[in-house]
Amino acid sequence: MPDSSSVQRIKGYCSLCIARCGSVAVVEDGRFTRLEPDPSHPTGQALCAKGRAAPELVYHPERLTRPLRRTRPKGDRDPGWQAIGWDEALSETAAAMRRIAERDGPQAFAFSQSSPSTTAIADSAPFVRRLMNAFGSVNALTSLDVCGWGRAGATRYTFGVPCVGTSGGGAMPDIAHTGCLILWGYNPSYSRLSHATAVAAAIERGARLIVVDPRRVGFASKADLWLRVRPGSDGALALGIAHVMIERGWYDRDFIRDWSNGPHLVRADTGRLLSEHDLGVGSAPRLFAWDTQARRLVPYDPATGRYDGATAALALEGEVRIATPGGEVTCHPAFALYARLCRHYPPQAVEALCWIPRAEVEAAAELIWQSRPVSYYAWSGHEQHANVTQTARAMSLLYALTGSFDAKGGNVLFPAPAAPSIAGAELLKRKAPILGAAERPLGPSREGSVTARELYRAILDGQPYVVRGLLGFGSNMLLAHADGGRGRQALAALEFFAHCDLFMTPTAELADIVLPVASCFEREALKIGFDISPEAQSLIQLRPAVVPTRGEARSDTDIIFGLARHLGLGAAFWDGDVDAAYRAQLAGTGVGLEELRAEPGGVRVPLATRYAKHAEPGAGGTSRGFATPSRKVELYSQTFLDHGHAALPDFEEPRIGPLARPDLSARFPLVLTCAKPTLFCQTQHRALPSLRKHALDPQVALHPAAARERGVANGDWVSIETPEGRVRARARLNDRLDPRVVVGEHGWWQACRALDAPGYDPFGPDGANLNLIIGGKVLDPVSGTASHRAYLCEIRRVA
């Protein structure tokens, strides 16, 4: 801790969002006064307004500083909060957890945590999971369905790893070497400044840029092409661009032939891949391609990733008739079926579906092909839809056409220090089925995450089994997810709910025990690799605490270790020694904890970037291939087919949209989407005066023509109305929007008393909780994602 009589400049990184920007904290006479960027850090070229407001966050008078116990029923307006000691709070929480687990099983006690993309929970997320595993619970609400599923979850089914990486791993755009970068539903100027500075440098050196976004924000004004997509139609756009590329031969045929399952034959009668079982020659799982020169079947063994024969003439087009014991069967290469699907989306169809001029669709295809290598990054703009899974797959298949995956300048699997996982999967001895696994086995449940709707159903309806308890780490789920009214009922119905947070949020208000959390500037944290580049990945940093914690607040990590001790699980948590846990994380990196404490700016480890790792020799001399069932990039997914989903990613029109529901669009003629404001992280930070003064009220952006039709002027209060209800916001006119689209903001509840700026009722029509008016019944069939960013609405002026 710094000397209280001096001015200290303490190197670290800001953990408020996924950017983890390198920073220098200035402490004067023991008080944290400024946060500045650290240009020597690979993510430290700039800081956003939220980072610069860090001292306001640390010293905010409404911070929680003592553990609290509810003394009155949850239906009362006054919870009767009573300050208690930490030992009492942790003992009561542990006793409730044991009581519920002994009676109903540990799966009846769930966990929740905020998204690591927009909060500092990444400091402690592995320990949250470790506590779950040690306790025996399988149910964690992590918001994966609305933050990360498309880019990381769905694209695994194509490449075997996330095609678009997150803080949990996967391929990242090699922006320093890319020829063409696509930002799809992603505005790094608001979401990840370290990427924004890299994009600016790439543009300066001559890289080409395509931005897909309903709004002209961030780099859209600097892009070679800005594609103003209709919210929710991204899948049709991806298929349409792919159609132009395939029709004009603008794709890497060698990559598709050699490294995708495009040559594998698909039966026309069943839609399944042709196998040895179909030919009556055995039960081996070998598949087949067609050699156009030798005019014969070529067996392919997924176990080895090898064809039994030459591959230069494997068919990607046409059809063949194959004799089987059951008669002749017509088959097509998987790539031919993908090309056929794409033909349903010519430029004129894309223009009608996506509201993008056909010439721009053709220009995008040409720019992608002519400017290789290509990289792309996608964010929640394409994810928060009820068709996200097939949309993300369609985008990943479009990307596969470029042949740029894991190539220099493409989306690259950057190296990382050899750090073991400390999430404790081995501690989970008896695994109950996770919520959602029966309905959506390919969705977030496969990644160890449940959706809010699944959690609410288990609490209120006991389906598929009852959940009676919850331990929350910062998740303000009642505002972050759709159907907050049902969520409120669910949290009120819990037998026990403990919540850890910095502020008393609407979600925390329903807890039985509230535990005060230290901000990321009041606690140590270890980060191994900073994700965005090889240089960033090479850095290991132990971020020091800048100032002491406020009051009795503790870090999430200290709360977890203390609770583990009260649960009798201390041995699984290094007997309460957090330093020992850090040493376990560092094992294999060659870097010691004392070395990191002596170097607060971090220590670099040597890493070598390798490309096309799928082509490297694997076991037995075969190529490593991809971590998919076929060991190829899967254009055609039999996994999806086996679970009742389309094997190819066809576009599904948003089910609460103008084309799918003309009956509703007569009353609700506008398409409602939402976007992240630059000043706030989701439901946070509106109490900080330096931020709130620039955005005193919630806003909804609409085109001047749409405003005129409704008698709305800039700054008017309006009602945003959907079939589910209404909320309020101030109108902001934006002539760059499509006149049929309006853009709201979610996350409004908190007051800023320093500015006399009001708070907003999260559950009523005079409030501003945008997710309150998004229905929870129309969901993505794989992920369970609600249609947060493509809904029907009307705007009406109010007094």
Side-chain angles (χ1 to χ4, degrees), residues 246-303:
I246 293 170
E247 287 293 299
R248 300 184 185 181
W250 293 341
Y251 66 95
D252 190 332
R253 189 177 180 88
D254 290 344
F255 181 84
I256 294 299
R257 182 194 64 220
D258 296 339
W259 293 110
S260 86
N261 71 348
H264 297 173
L265 294 177
V266 179
R267 294 178 57 136
D269 56 347
T270 65
R272 299 185 62 78
L273 294 163
L274 184 70
S275 69
E276 281 188 326
H277 174 76
D278 297 318
L279 301 184
V281 295
S283 58
R286 293 203 301 175
L287 307 173
F288 292 93
W290 181 256
D291 188 315
T292 58
Q293 291 182 350
R295 300 195 60 76
R296 70 174 184 88
L297 291 172
V298 179
Y300 172 77
D301 186 356

Short mmCIF file of all heavy atoms in Angstrom, two decimals, residues 246-303:
data_model
loop_
_atom_site.label_atom_id
_atom_site.label_comp_id
_atom_site.label_asym_id
_atom_site.label_seq_id
_atom_site.Cartn_x
_atom_site.Cartn_y
_atom_site.Cartn_z
N ILE A 246 -19.25 -17.16 -53.50
CA ILE A 246 -19.24 -18.49 -54.10
C ILE A 246 -19.55 -18.42 -55.59
O ILE A 246 -18.88 -19.05 -56.41
CB ILE A 246 -20.25 -19.41 -53.37
CG1 ILE A 246 -19.79 -19.66 -51.93
CG2 ILE A 246 -20.42 -20.73 -54.11
CD1 ILE A 246 -20.83 -20.34 -51.06
N GLU A 247 -20.54 -17.62 -55.95
CA GLU A 247 -20.93 -17.52 -57.36
C GLU A 247 -19.80 -16.98 -58.23
O GLU A 247 -19.65 -17.37 -59.38
CB GLU A 247 -22.16 -16.62 -57.49
CG GLU A 247 -23.45 -17.25 -57.01
CD GLU A 247 -23.88 -18.41 -57.88
OE1 GLU A 247 -24.11 -18.19 -59.08
OE2 GLU A 247 -23.96 -19.53 -57.36
N ARG A 248 -18.99 -16.09 -57.66
CA ARG A 248 -17.91 -15.48 -58.43
C ARG A 248 -16.56 -16.15 -58.20
O ARG A 248 -15.53 -15.66 -58.68
CB ARG A 248 -17.84 -13.99 -58.10
CG ARG A 248 -19.15 -13.28 -58.45
CD ARG A 248 -19.10 -11.79 -58.22
NE ARG A 248 -20.41 -11.20 -58.47
CZ ARG A 248 -20.69 -9.91 -58.37
NH1 ARG A 248 -19.73 -9.04 -58.03
NH2 ARG A 248 -21.91 -9.45 -58.60
N GLY A 249 -16.56 -17.25 -57.48
CA GLY A 249 -15.31 -17.96 -57.24
C GLY A 249 -14.39 -17.26 -56.27
O GLY A 249 -13.19 -17.55 -56.22
N TRP A 250 -14.93 -16.37 -55.46
CA TRP A 250 -14.12 -15.61 -54.52
C TRP A 250 -14.05 -16.34 -53.17
O TRP A 250 -14.49 -15.82 -52.14
CB TRP A 250 -14.70 -14.22 -54.32
CG TRP A 250 -14.62 -13.34 -55.53
CD1 TRP A 250 -13.82 -13.48 -56.62
CD2 TRP A 250 -15.40 -12.15 -55.76
NE1 TRP A 250 -14.02 -12.47 -57.53
CE2 TRP A 250 -14.99 -11.63 -57.02
CE3 TRP A 250 -16.37 -11.47 -55.05
CZ2 TRP A 250 -15.54 -10.48 -57.57
CZ3 TRP A 250 -16.92 -10.32 -55.58
CH2 TRP A 250 -16.50 -9.82 -56.83
N TYR A 251 -13.52 -17.53 -53.17
CA TYR A 251 -13.34 -18.25 -51.91
C TYR A 251 -12.12 -19.16 -52.05
O TYR A 251 -11.68 -19.49 -53.15
CB TYR A 251 -14.59 -19.05 -51.53
CG TYR A 251 -14.94 -20.19 -52.46
CD1 TYR A 251 -14.52 -21.49 -52.18
CD2 TYR A 251 -15.71 -19.98 -53.61
CE1 TYR A 251 -14.86 -22.54 -53.03
CE2 TYR A 251 -16.05 -21.02 -54.45
CZ TYR A 251 -15.61 -22.29 -54.16
OH TYR A 251 -15.93 -23.33 -55.00
N ASP A 252 -11.56 -19.54 -50.92
CA ASP A 252 -10.34 -20.35 -50.88
C ASP A 252 -10.72 -21.81 -51.06
O ASP A 252 -10.99 -22.54 -50.10
CB ASP A 252 -9.63 -20.12 -49.54
CG ASP A 252 -8.24 -20.74 -49.51
OD1 ASP A 252 -8.01 -21.74 -50.22
OD2 ASP A 252 -7.39 -20.23 -48.76
N ARG A 253 -10.74 -22.23 -52.30
CA ARG A 253 -11.19 -23.58 -52.62
C ARG A 253 -10.31 -24.65 -51.99
O ARG A 253 -10.80 -25.69 -51.53
CB ARG A 253 -11.25 -23.75 -54.14
CG ARG A 253 -11.92 -25.04 -54.59
CD ARG A 253 -12.01 -25.15 -56.11
NE ARG A 253 -12.65 -26.39 -56.51
CZ ARG A 253 -13.95 -26.54 -56.66
NH1 ARG A 253 -14.76 -25.51 -56.45
NH2 ARG A 253 -14.47 -27.72 -57.02
N ASP A 254 -9.02 -24.40 -51.94
CA ASP A 254 -8.12 -25.39 -51.35
C ASP A 254 -8.42 -25.58 -49.86
O ASP A 254 -8.44 -26.71 -49.37
CB ASP A 254 -6.66 -24.96 -51.53
CG ASP A 254 -6.20 -25.04 -52.98
OD1 ASP A 254 -6.89 -25.70 -53.78
OD2 ASP A 254 -5.16 -24.44 -53.30
N PHE A 255 -8.64 -24.46 -49.14
CA PHE A 255 -8.94 -24.57 -47.72
C PHE A 255 -10.27 -25.31 -47.52
O PHE A 255 -10.37 -26.19 -46.65
CB PHE A 255 -9.01 -23.19 -47.07
CG PHE A 255 -9.29 -23.21 -45.60
CD1 PHE A 255 -8.26 -23.39 -44.69
CD2 PHE A 255 -10.58 -23.06 -45.11
CE1 PHE A 255 -8.51 -23.43 -43.32
CE2 PHE A 255 -10.84 -23.09 -43.75
CZ PHE A 255 -9.80 -23.28 -42.85
N ILE A 256 -11.27 -24.98 -48.29
CA ILE A 256 -12.57 -25.63 -48.15
C ILE A 256 -12.47 -27.12 -48.46
O ILE A 256 -13.05 -27.96 -47.76
CB ILE A 256 -13.62 -24.95 -49.07
CG1 ILE A 256 -13.88 -23.50 -48.61
CG2 ILE A 256 -14.92 -25.74 -49.09
CD1 ILE A 256 -14.44 -23.37 -47.22
N ARG A 257 -11.70 -27.46 -49.49
CA ARG A 257 -11.55 -28.87 -49.85
C ARG A 257 -10.75 -29.65 -48.81
O ARG A 257 -11.12 -30.77 -48.42
CB ARG A 257 -10.86 -28.98 -51.21
CG ARG A 257 -10.70 -30.43 -51.73
CD ARG A 257 -9.72 -30.46 -52.89
NE ARG A 257 -8.39 -30.07 -52.45
CZ ARG A 257 -7.56 -29.30 -53.17
NH1 ARG A 257 -7.93 -28.83 -54.35
NH2 ARG A 257 -6.37 -28.99 -52.69
N ASP A 258 -9.64 -29.07 -48.35
CA ASP A 258 -8.71 -29.81 -47.50
C ASP A 258 -9.04 -29.73 -46.02
O ASP A 258 -8.72 -30.65 -45.27
CB ASP A 258 -7.28 -29.28 -47.71
CG ASP A 258 -6.77 -29.52 -49.13
OD1 ASP A 258 -7.32 -30.41 -49.81
OD2 ASP A 258 -5.84 -28.80 -49.55
N TRP A 259 -9.68 -28.63 -45.58
CA TRP A 259 -9.82 -28.42 -44.14
C TRP A 259 -11.26 -28.24 -43.68
O TRP A 259 -11.49 -27.99 -42.49
CB TRP A 259 -8.98 -27.22 -43.71
CG TRP A 259 -7.51 -27.50 -43.86
CD1 TRP A 259 -6.65 -26.96 -44.76
CD2 TRP A 259 -6.76 -28.46 -43.11
NE1 TRP A 259 -5.40 -27.50 -44.62
CE2 TRP A 259 -5.44 -28.42 -43.60
CE3 TRP A 259 -7.06 -29.33 -42.07
CZ2 TRP A 259 -4.43 -29.23 -43.10
CZ3 TRP A 259 -6.06 -30.14 -41.56
CH2 TRP A 259 -4.76 -30.09 -42.07
N SER A 260 -12.22 -28.37 -44.56
CA SER A 260 -13.62 -28.35 -44.14
C SER A 260 -14.27 -29.68 -44.49
O SER A 260 -13.70 -30.49 -45.24
CB SER A 260 -14.38 -27.20 -44.80
OG SER A 260 -14.88 -27.57 -46.07
N ASN A 261 -15.47 -29.89 -43.98
CA ASN A 261 -16.21 -31.09 -44.37
C ASN A 261 -17.05 -30.83 -45.62
O ASN A 261 -17.98 -31.59 -45.92
CB ASN A 261 -17.05 -31.65 -43.22
CG ASN A 261 -18.25 -30.77 -42.87
OD1 ASN A 261 -18.36 -29.63 -43.32
ND2 ASN A 261 -19.16 -31.29 -42.05
N GLY A 262 -16.70 -29.78 -46.35
CA GLY A 262 -17.40 -29.47 -47.59
C GLY A 262 -17.43 -30.60 -48.59
O GLY A 262 -18.44 -30.77 -49.30
N PRO A 263 -16.37 -31.44 -48.74
CA PRO A 263 -16.44 -32.55 -49.69
C PRO A 263 -17.28 -33.73 -49.22
O PRO A 263 -17.59 -34.62 -50.02
CB PRO A 263 -14.97 -32.97 -49.85
CG PRO A 263 -14.16 -31.84 -49.31
CD PRO A 263 -15.01 -31.22 -48.24
N HIS A 264 -17.64 -33.81 -47.94
CA HIS A 264 -18.31 -34.99 -47.42
C HIS A 264 -19.72 -35.09 -47.98
O HIS A 264 -20.47 -34.10 -48.00
CB HIS A 264 -18.33 -34.97 -45.90
CG HIS A 264 -16.96 -35.01 -45.29
ND1 HIS A 264 -16.74 -34.85 -43.94
CD2 HIS A 264 -15.73 -35.20 -45.85
CE1 HIS A 264 -15.44 -34.95 -43.70
NE2 HIS A 264 -14.82 -35.15 -44.84
N LEU A 265 -20.08 -36.27 -48.42
CA LEU A 265 -21.35 -36.49 -49.09
C LEU A 265 -22.50 -36.57 -48.08
O LEU A 265 -22.38 -37.19 -47.02
CB LEU A 265 -21.30 -37.77 -49.91
CG LEU A 265 -20.33 -37.75 -51.10
CD1 LEU A 265 -20.31 -39.11 -51.80
CD2 LEU A 265 -20.69 -36.65 -52.09
N VAL A 266 -23.61 -35.96 -48.46
CA VAL A 266 -24.81 -35.92 -47.63
C VAL A 266 -25.94 -36.59 -48.39
O VAL A 266 -26.20 -36.29 -49.57
CB VAL A 266 -25.20 -34.47 -47.29
CG1 VAL A 266 -26.48 -34.44 -46.44
CG2 VAL A 266 -24.06 -33.76 -46.57
N ARG A 267 -26.61 -37.51 -47.74
CA ARG A 267 -27.74 -38.19 -48.36
C ARG A 267 -28.91 -37.22 -48.57
O ARG A 267 -29.28 -36.49 -47.65
CB ARG A 267 -28.20 -39.36 -47.49
CG ARG A 267 -27.21 -40.49 -47.36
CD ARG A 267 -27.75 -41.57 -46.44
NE ARG A 267 -29.03 -42.10 -46.91
CZ ARG A 267 -29.35 -43.39 -46.95
NH1 ARG A 267 -28.46 -44.30 -46.57
NH2 ARG A 267 -30.53 -43.78 -47.36
N ALA A 268 -29.49 -37.23 -49.75
CA ALA A 268 -30.62 -36.34 -50.03
C ALA A 268 -31.88 -36.79 -49.32
O ALA A 268 -32.76 -35.97 -49.02
CB ALA A 268 -30.86 -36.27 -51.54
N ASP A 269 -31.99 -38.09 -49.03
CA ASP A 269 -33.23 -38.59 -48.42
C ASP A 269 -33.30 -38.37 -46.91
O ASP A 269 -34.36 -38.10 -46.35
CB ASP A 269 -33.42 -40.09 -48.75
CG ASP A 269 -32.24 -40.95 -48.32
OD1 ASP A 269 -31.17 -40.38 -47.99
OD2 ASP A 269 -32.38 -42.19 -48.32
N THR A 270 -32.17 -38.46 -46.23
CA THR A 270 -32.17 -38.33 -44.77
C THR A 270 -31.48 -37.06 -44.29
O THR A 270 -31.67 -36.68 -43.13
CB THR A 270 -31.47 -39.53 -44.11
OG1 THR A 270 -30.08 -39.52 -44.49
CG2 THR A 270 -32.10 -40.84 -44.54
N GLY A 271 -30.70 -36.43 -45.15
CA GLY A 271 -29.93 -35.28 -44.73
C GLY A 271 -28.72 -35.62 -43.90
O GLY A 271 -28.02 -34.73 -43.41
N ARG A 272 -28.41 -36.91 -43.77
CA ARG A 272 -27.27 -37.33 -42.95
C ARG A 272 -26.06 -37.57 -43.84
O ARG A 272 -26.17 -37.87 -45.04
CB ARG A 272 -27.61 -38.59 -42.16
CG ARG A 272 -28.79 -38.40 -41.20
CD ARG A 272 -29.00 -39.63 -40.34
NE ARG A 272 -27.85 -39.91 -39.50
CZ ARG A 272 -27.57 -39.26 -38.37
NH1 ARG A 272 -28.37 -38.28 -37.94
NH2 ARG A 272 -26.51 -39.58 -37.65
N LEU A 273 -24.89 -37.48 -43.21
CA LEU A 273 -23.65 -37.74 -43.93
C LEU A 273 -23.58 -39.22 -44.29
O LEU A 273 -23.92 -40.09 -43.49
CB LEU A 273 -22.45 -37.35 -43.06
CG LEU A 273 -22.33 -35.84 -42.78
CD1 LEU A 273 -21.40 -35.59 -41.60
CD2 LEU A 273 -21.82 -35.11 -44.01
N LEU A 274 -23.16 -39.50 -45.52
CA LEU A 274 -23.03 -40.88 -46.00
C LEU A 274 -21.92 -41.57 -45.22
O LEU A 274 -20.79 -41.07 -45.14
CB LEU A 274 -22.71 -40.88 -47.49
CG LEU A 274 -22.65 -42.25 -48.17
CD1 LEU A 274 -24.04 -42.87 -48.27
CD2 LEU A 274 -22.01 -42.13 -49.55
N SER A 275 -22.22 -42.76 -44.66
CA SER A 275 -21.26 -43.47 -43.83
C SER A 275 -21.13 -44.92 -44.29
O SER A 275 -21.90 -45.40 -45.13
CB SER A 275 -21.70 -43.46 -42.37
OG SER A 275 -22.86 -44.26 -42.20
N GLU A 276 -20.16 -45.60 -43.73
CA GLU A 276 -19.96 -47.01 -44.05
C GLU A 276 -21.19 -47.84 -43.70
O GLU A 276 -21.51 -48.82 -44.38
CB GLU A 276 -18.74 -47.55 -43.31
CG GLU A 276 -17.42 -47.17 -43.95
CD GLU A 276 -16.23 -47.87 -43.30
OE1 GLU A 276 -16.27 -48.10 -42.08
OE2 GLU A 276 -15.28 -48.17 -44.02
N HIS A 277 -21.88 -47.46 -42.66
CA HIS A 277 -23.09 -48.18 -42.28
C HIS A 277 -24.11 -48.15 -43.42
O HIS A 277 -24.79 -49.15 -43.70
CB HIS A 277 -23.68 -47.58 -41.01
CG HIS A 277 -25.00 -48.16 -40.62
ND1 HIS A 277 -25.12 -49.40 -40.03
CD2 HIS A 277 -26.27 -47.68 -40.75
CE1 HIS A 277 -26.40 -49.66 -39.81
NE2 HIS A 277 -27.12 -48.63 -40.23
N ASP A 278 -24.22 -46.99 -44.10
CA ASP A 278 -25.15 -46.88 -45.22
C ASP A 278 -24.79 -47.83 -46.35
O ASP A 278 -25.67 -48.32 -47.08
CB ASP A 278 -25.16 -45.44 -45.76
CG ASP A 278 -25.65 -44.44 -44.73
OD1 ASP A 278 -26.63 -44.74 -44.03
OD2 ASP A 278 -25.04 -43.37 -44.64
N LEU A 279 -23.51 -48.10 -46.52
CA LEU A 279 -23.05 -48.94 -47.63
C LEU A 279 -23.03 -50.41 -47.26
O LEU A 279 -22.73 -51.26 -48.10
CB LEU A 279 -21.66 -48.51 -48.09
CG LEU A 279 -21.53 -47.05 -48.55
CD1 LEU A 279 -20.12 -46.79 -49.05
CD2 LEU A 279 -22.55 -46.74 -49.64
N GLY A 280 -23.32 -50.72 -46.00
CA GLY A 280 -23.36 -52.11 -45.58
C GLY A 280 -22.02 -52.77 -45.54
O GLY A 280 -21.91 -54.00 -45.70
N VAL A 281 -20.97 -51.97 -45.31
CA VAL A 281 -19.61 -52.54 -45.33
C VAL A 281 -18.97 -52.52 -43.96
O VAL A 281 -17.78 -52.76 -43.83
CB VAL A 281 -18.72 -51.80 -46.35
CG1 VAL A 281 -19.23 -52.00 -47.76
CG2 VAL A 281 -18.62 -50.32 -46.02
N GLY A 282 -19.73 -52.23 -42.93
CA GLY A 282 -19.16 -52.22 -41.59
C GLY A 282 -19.83 -51.17 -40.74
O GLY A 282 -20.72 -50.45 -41.17
N SER A 283 -19.36 -51.09 -39.49
CA SER A 283 -19.94 -50.14 -38.55
C SER A 283 -18.97 -49.02 -38.20
O SER A 283 -19.24 -48.23 -37.30
CB SER A 283 -20.36 -50.87 -37.27
OG SER A 283 -19.24 -51.52 -36.69
N ALA A 284 -17.83 -48.96 -38.88
CA ALA A 284 -16.87 -47.90 -38.60
C ALA A 284 -17.49 -46.55 -38.96
O ALA A 284 -18.33 -46.45 -39.86
CB ALA A 284 -15.59 -48.13 -39.40
N PRO A 285 -17.07 -45.49 -38.26
CA PRO A 285 -17.70 -44.18 -38.49
C PRO A 285 -17.10 -43.44 -39.69
O PRO A 285 -17.14 -42.22 -39.73
CB PRO A 285 -17.40 -43.44 -37.18
CG PRO A 285 -16.09 -44.01 -36.73
CD PRO A 285 -16.11 -45.45 -37.14
N ARG A 286 -16.55 -44.19 -40.65
CA ARG A 286 -15.94 -43.49 -41.79
C ARG A 286 -17.00 -42.86 -42.67
O ARG A 286 -18.10 -43.39 -42.86
CB ARG A 286 -15.07 -44.45 -42.61
CG ARG A 286 -13.84 -44.93 -41.85
CD ARG A 286 -12.74 -45.40 -42.76
NE ARG A 286 -13.17 -46.50 -43.63
CZ ARG A 286 -12.42 -47.04 -44.59
NH1 ARG A 286 -11.19 -46.57 -44.79
NH2 ARG A 286 -12.86 -48.05 -45.32
N LEU A 287 -16.66 -41.69 -43.23
CA LEU A 287 -17.52 -40.94 -44.12
C LEU A 287 -16.94 -41.01 -45.53
O LEU A 287 -15.90 -41.65 -45.75
CB LEU A 287 -17.62 -39.49 -43.64
CG LEU A 287 -18.05 -39.30 -42.18
CD1 LEU A 287 -17.96 -37.84 -41.77
CD2 LEU A 287 -19.46 -39.84 -41.96
N PHE A 288 -17.60 -40.33 -46.49
CA PHE A 288 -17.15 -40.45 -47.88
C PHE A 288 -17.21 -39.13 -48.62
O PHE A 288 -18.10 -38.30 -48.38
CB PHE A 288 -18.01 -41.48 -48.63
CG PHE A 288 -17.82 -42.88 -48.14
CD1 PHE A 288 -18.64 -43.40 -47.16
CD2 PHE A 288 -16.79 -43.67 -48.64
CE1 PHE A 288 -18.48 -44.68 -46.69
CE2 PHE A 288 -16.60 -44.96 -48.16
CZ PHE A 288 -17.44 -45.47 -47.20
N ALA A 289 -16.24 -38.95 -49.51
CA ALA A 289 -16.26 -37.88 -50.50
C ALA A 289 -16.24 -38.53 -51.88
O ALA A 289 -16.15 -39.76 -52.01
CB ALA A 289 -15.05 -36.96 -50.30
N TRP A 290 -16.32 -37.69 -52.94
CA TRP A 290 -16.38 -38.22 -54.31
C TRP A 290 -15.22 -37.66 -55.12
O TRP A 290 -15.03 -36.44 -55.18
CB TRP A 290 -17.70 -37.85 -54.96
CG TRP A 290 -17.86 -38.38 -56.36
CD1 TRP A 290 -17.76 -37.69 -57.52
CD2 TRP A 290 -18.16 -39.72 -56.72
NE1 TRP A 290 -17.97 -38.51 -58.61
CE2 TRP A 290 -18.22 -39.78 -58.14
CE3 TRP A 290 -18.37 -40.91 -56.00
CZ2 TRP A 290 -18.49 -40.96 -58.83
CZ3 TRP A 290 -18.64 -42.07 -56.70
CH2 TRP A 290 -18.70 -42.09 -58.10
N ASP A 291 -14.45 -38.57 -55.69
CA ASP A 291 -13.34 -38.18 -56.56
C ASP A 291 -13.88 -38.01 -57.98
O ASP A 291 -14.31 -38.99 -58.61
CB ASP A 291 -12.25 -39.25 -56.52
CG ASP A 291 -10.98 -38.82 -57.25
OD1 ASP A 291 -11.09 -38.27 -58.37
OD2 ASP A 291 -9.88 -39.04 -56.70
N THR A 292 -13.87 -36.77 -58.49
CA THR A 292 -14.47 -36.50 -59.80
C THR A 292 -13.65 -37.06 -60.95
O THR A 292 -14.19 -37.29 -62.04
CB THR A 292 -14.63 -34.99 -60.00
OG1 THR A 292 -13.36 -34.36 -59.88
CG2 THR A 292 -15.59 -34.40 -58.97
N GLN A 293 -12.35 -37.27 -60.74
CA GLN A 293 -11.52 -37.82 -61.82
C GLN A 293 -11.60 -39.34 -61.84
O GLN A 293 -11.84 -39.95 -62.89
CB GLN A 293 -10.07 -37.35 -61.65
CG GLN A 293 -9.88 -35.86 -61.90
CD GLN A 293 -8.43 -35.43 -61.77
OE1 GLN A 293 -7.58 -36.19 -61.31
NE2 GLN A 293 -8.16 -34.18 -62.15
N ALA A 294 -11.41 -39.97 -60.69
CA ALA A 294 -11.46 -41.43 -60.64
C ALA A 294 -12.89 -41.95 -60.61
O ALA A 294 -13.12 -43.14 -60.81
CB ALA A 294 -10.72 -41.93 -59.40
N ARG A 295 -13.85 -41.05 -60.37
CA ARG A 295 -15.27 -41.39 -60.29
C ARG A 295 -15.51 -42.54 -59.32
O ARG A 295 -16.07 -43.58 -59.64
CB ARG A 295 -15.84 -41.72 -61.68
CG ARG A 295 -15.72 -40.56 -62.66
CD ARG A 295 -16.59 -40.76 -63.88
NE ARG A 295 -18.00 -40.88 -63.57
CZ ARG A 295 -18.81 -39.87 -63.24
NH1 ARG A 295 -18.31 -38.64 -63.18
NH2 ARG A 295 -20.08 -40.08 -62.98
N ARG A 296 -15.04 -42.31 -58.12
CA ARG A 296 -15.21 -43.31 -57.06
C ARG A 296 -15.33 -42.62 -55.72
O ARG A 296 -14.98 -41.45 -55.56
CB ARG A 296 -14.03 -44.29 -57.04
CG ARG A 296 -12.73 -43.67 -56.56
CD ARG A 296 -11.63 -44.73 -56.43
NE ARG A 296 -10.40 -44.18 -55.88
CZ ARG A 296 -10.12 -44.09 -54.58
NH1 ARG A 296 -11.02 -44.51 -53.69
NH2 ARG A 296 -8.97 -43.59 -54.15
N LEU A 297 -15.86 -43.37 -54.75
CA LEU A 297 -15.93 -42.88 -53.38
C LEU A 297 -14.54 -42.89 -52.75
O LEU A 297 -13.75 -43.80 -52.96
CB LEU A 297 -16.87 -43.76 -52.54
CG LEU A 297 -18.36 -43.68 -52.87
CD1 LEU A 297 -19.13 -44.74 -52.10
CD2 LEU A 297 -18.90 -42.28 -52.55
N VAL A 298 -14.28 -41.86 -51.95
CA VAL A 298 -13.02 -41.78 -51.20
C VAL A 298 -13.38 -41.79 -49.72
O VAL A 298 -14.01 -40.84 -49.22
CB VAL A 298 -12.24 -40.50 -51.55
CG1 VAL A 298 -10.94 -40.44 -50.74
CG2 VAL A 298 -11.94 -40.44 -53.03
N PRO A 299 -13.02 -42.86 -48.99
CA PRO A 299 -13.35 -42.91 -47.56
C PRO A 299 -12.56 -41.86 -46.77
O PRO A 299 -11.43 -41.51 -47.10
CB PRO A 299 -12.92 -44.32 -47.14
CG PRO A 299 -12.81 -45.09 -48.41
CD PRO A 299 -12.38 -44.11 -49.45
N TYR A 300 -13.22 -41.38 -45.72
CA TYR A 300 -12.58 -40.41 -44.81
C TYR A 300 -12.79 -40.91 -43.39
O TYR A 300 -13.91 -41.23 -42.98
CB TYR A 300 -13.20 -39.02 -44.96
CG TYR A 300 -12.70 -38.05 -43.92
CD1 TYR A 300 -11.44 -37.48 -44.03
CD2 TYR A 300 -13.48 -37.73 -42.80
CE1 TYR A 300 -10.97 -36.60 -43.06
CE2 TYR A 300 -13.01 -36.85 -41.82
CZ TYR A 300 -11.76 -36.30 -41.96
OH TYR A 300 -11.29 -35.44 -40.99
N ASP A 301 -11.70 -40.96 -42.60
CA ASP A 301 -11.76 -41.44 -41.23
C ASP A 301 -11.68 -40.25 -40.27
O ASP A 301 -10.62 -39.62 -40.13
CB ASP A 301 -10.59 -42.39 -40.97
CG ASP A 301 -10.69 -43.05 -39.59
OD1 ASP A 301 -11.61 -42.69 -38.82
OD2 ASP A 301 -9.85 -43.90 -39.28
N PRO A 302 -12.77 -39.90 -39.59
CA PRO A 302 -12.72 -38.78 -38.64
C PRO A 302 -11.74 -39.00 -37.50
O PRO A 302 -11.24 -38.04 -36.91
CB PRO A 302 -14.16 -38.69 -38.11
CG PRO A 302 -15.00 -39.37 -39.14
CD PRO A 302 -14.13 -40.46 -39.70
N ALA A 303 -11.47 -40.27 -37.17
CA ALA A 303 -10.57 -40.54 -36.06
C ALA A 303 -9.14 -40.09 -36.36
O ALA A 303 -8.41 -39.66 -35.47
CB ALA A 303 -10.59 -42.03 -35.72
#
